[in-house]
Amino acid sequence: RNMESQTPMKPPAGKSKMPVIFAAHGAPVLLDDAVWMGELATWAKVMPMPKSILMVSAHWEERPTTLGATQPVPLVYDFYGFPEQYYRTKYAAPGAPQLAARVRDLLRKSAIAVSDDPKRGLDHGAYVPLVAMYPAADIPVLQISMPGLDARELVELGKALAPLRDEGVLVFGSGF
């Protein structure tokens, strides 16, 4: 469980580039795992505070790359058979319409097809690690789908989104 070597570091003085991070997670029961919650909370403390967060969850695969809701909508409880408390988890982060517009622009400039699903809320791959890292839910969050599992496509998607790091956006990959 030692993730110390994976802990994001603060950028050198004068640099504002946000890191890109990935958090492996499993079921929503991790919300009750003090060690896991503490590790992610530490990540948030050592990184610069993001202006917004772009979540890429392995729990949402859709072609073309699709942008989720840009305004708060109910969460997606995309798991089954867990105690009722996990279906009552809330994470009412502000929407990120400006980030969505920027992502659309970046993807189109890179000739990557993009669509919108304005009713799709954050899935557990997005909100579970965010509850650990930013429990106040005060940072705008946008979730995008993975267009598939083709490595070349994903590398191109990453290249297209890279400028967001210079704009204070935390690009956050999540899955297991």
Side-chain angles (χ1 to χ4, degrees):
R1 283 253 199 199
N2 185 350
M3 295 175 63
E4 190 173 24
S5 65
Q6 299 174 15
T7 302
M9 303 304 292
K10 287 188 184 251
K15 304 270 185 180
S16 61
K17 185 174 277 205
M18 290 298 297
V20 173
I21 63 172
F22 173 82
H25 75 277
V29 295
L30 284 173
L31 293 170
D32 292 328
D33 183 325
V35 172
W36 187 82
M37 294 287 287
E39 289 170 348
L40 268 65
T42 298
W43 285 16
K45 288 177 187 163
V46 300
M47 291 188 305
M49 182 62 73
K51 289 173 35 182
S52 57
I53 301 169
L54 180 64
M55 290 296 300
V56 184
S57 165
H59 294 281
W60 186 20
E61 187 179 329
E62 188 168 329
R63 185 178 304 278
T65 299
T66 304
L67 308 182
T70 58
Q71 298 300 322
V73 298
L75 298 176
V76 176
Y77 300 101
D78 56 335
F79 47 83
Y80 305 94
F82 289 92
E84 181 62 30
Q85 71 190 53
Y86 300 112
Y87 300 93
R88 291 192 303 264
T89 301
K90 302 292 180 214
Y91 195 78
Q98 294 85 4
L99 178 57
R102 180 69 174 128
V103 168
R104 270 188 224 97
D105 181 56
L106 289 170
L107 295 182
R108 288 178 179 146
K109 284 180 179 174
S110 295
I112 297 173
V114 62
S115 66
D116 293 278
D117 186 350
K119 294 183 179 180
R120 191 180 194 289
L122 301 174
D123 64 44
H124 84 278
Y127 71 79
V128 168
L130 290 175
V131 167
M133 293 180 71
Y134 305 105
D138 56 355
I139 300 170
V141 177
L142 175 67
Q143 185 174 352
I144 66 169
S145 71
M146 291 178 53
L149 300 178
D150 179 89
R152 286 179 301 235
E153 268 187 295
L154 295 173
V155 167
E156 291 306 312
L157 180 63
K159 286 179 183 177
L161 298 173
L164 296 173
R165 296 180 64 202
D166 293 318
E167 300 168 17
V169 177
L170 175 62
V171 179
F172 194 149
S174 170
F176 192 64

